[in-house]
């Protein structure tokens, strides 16, 4: 059995999904690809203002026929250039982009992050983050739990985090100076 879904707008492929039944059992294995922007989603929610964004990614997946367990591996890039219509207090962050590489398993309300690497940028690199071990996220409560609580969980570095982003997070506190750097 083979399955294919290709969502297009004109000649542009917005989302593509291919799957086939695995030769060794009832699992489905396949590929996914995404290339969306705020223009496509604005048609679905014409009364809800959206930030100006693009999102692209591709990867592989494996699942059981009931989609009770989904294993996805891939890369994704997201860029946001305008928050003013959606969340004006975040406008000082724009433009911002993120690139990630990941391996995830969703089972019920659990999202197991096997691996995660992410880079955040504005007009210059801002920060990087890398998981050192797998961790679980409860999708209902947001609770996080590392596989080994006695070992390091994440590592990251600030390459050039603008201090102005931190101003206003706490009432009456303002930060000035150069960009924040460190590990």
């Amino acid at each position: 059995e083979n399955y294919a879904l290709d969502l297009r707008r004109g000649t542009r492929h917005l989302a593509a999904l291919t799957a086939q039944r695995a030769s060794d059992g009832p699992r489905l294995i396949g590929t996914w690809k995404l290339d969306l922007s705020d223009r496509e989603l604005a048609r679905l929610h014409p009364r809800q203002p959206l930030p100006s964004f693009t999102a692209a990614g591709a990867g592989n997946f494996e699942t059981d026929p009931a989609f009770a367990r989904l294993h996805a591996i891939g890369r994704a890039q997201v860029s946001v250039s305008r928050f003013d219509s959606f969340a004006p207090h975040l406008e000082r962050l724009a433009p911002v982009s993120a690139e990630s590489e990941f391996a995830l398993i969703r089972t019920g309300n659990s999202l197991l992050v096997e691996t995660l690497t992410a880079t955040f940028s504005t007009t210059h690199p801002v920060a990087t983050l890398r998981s050192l071990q797998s961790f679980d996220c409860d999708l209902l409560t947001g609770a996080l739990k590392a596989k080994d609580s006695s070992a390091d969980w994440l590592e990251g570095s600030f390459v050039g985090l603008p201090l102005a982003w931190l101003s206003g997070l706490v009432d009456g506190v303002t930060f000035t100076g150069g960009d924040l750097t460190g590990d």
Side-chain angles (χ1 to χ4, degrees):
E1 295 175 19
N2 295 304
Y3 305 92
L5 170 70
D6 188 5
L7 180 60
R8 299 182 196 195
R9 182 176 183 204
T11 59
R12 187 162 163 237
H13 297 268
L14 304 177
L17 183 71
T18 63
Q20 63 263 352
R21 184 177 293 273
S23 60
D24 63 348
R27 297 175 303 126
L28 295 175
I29 55 174
T31 62
W32 61 271
K33 189 171 184 181
L34 183 69
D35 185 11
L36 289 174
S37 73
D38 56 299
R39 292 182 307 223
E40 287 83 33
L41 294 183
R43 293 173 179 263
L44 299 174
H45 297 283
R47 294 182 184 166
Q48 174 70 38
L50 295 173
S52 178
F53 76 90
T54 60
N60 303 310
F61 72 91
E62 174 185 326
T63 186
D64 60 275
F67 295 96
R69 181 183 185 277
L70 173 66
H71 185 204
I73 299 169
R75 300 180 79 123
Q77 304 84 33
V78 176
S79 295
V80 181
S81 61
R82 199 185 79 244
F83 286 105
D84 58 345
S85 65
F86 182 71
H89 60 283
L90 296 177
E91 186 59 29
R92 66 181 168 191
L93 305 181
V96 65
S97 62
E99 294 185 25
S100 65
E101 192 169 331
F102 54 86
L104 311 169
I105 299 174
R106 188 207 45 85
T107 307
N109 294 323
S110 169
L111 180 66
L112 176 68
V113 178
E114 293 181 301
T115 62
L116 174 66
T117 303
T119 303
F120 304 92
S121 304
T122 60
T123 55
H124 61 279
V126 172
T128 61
L129 177 71
R130 183 172 70 94
S131 63
L132 299 175
Q133 62 171 300
S134 61
F135 61 96
D136 188 66
C137 176
D138 184 311
L139 297 174
L140 292 178
T141 66
L144 300 173
K145 182 178 179 185
K147 182 176 181 179
D148 179 359
S149 62
S150 65
D152 287 343
W153 172 37
L154 299 170
E155 73 177 4
S157 62
F158 294 111
V159 183
L161 179 71
L163 283 177
W165 284 10
L166 303 176
S167 293
L169 292 177
V170 176
D171 288 340
V173 178
T174 302
F175 294 93
T176 59
D179 292 345
L180 180 65
T181 60
D183 296 313

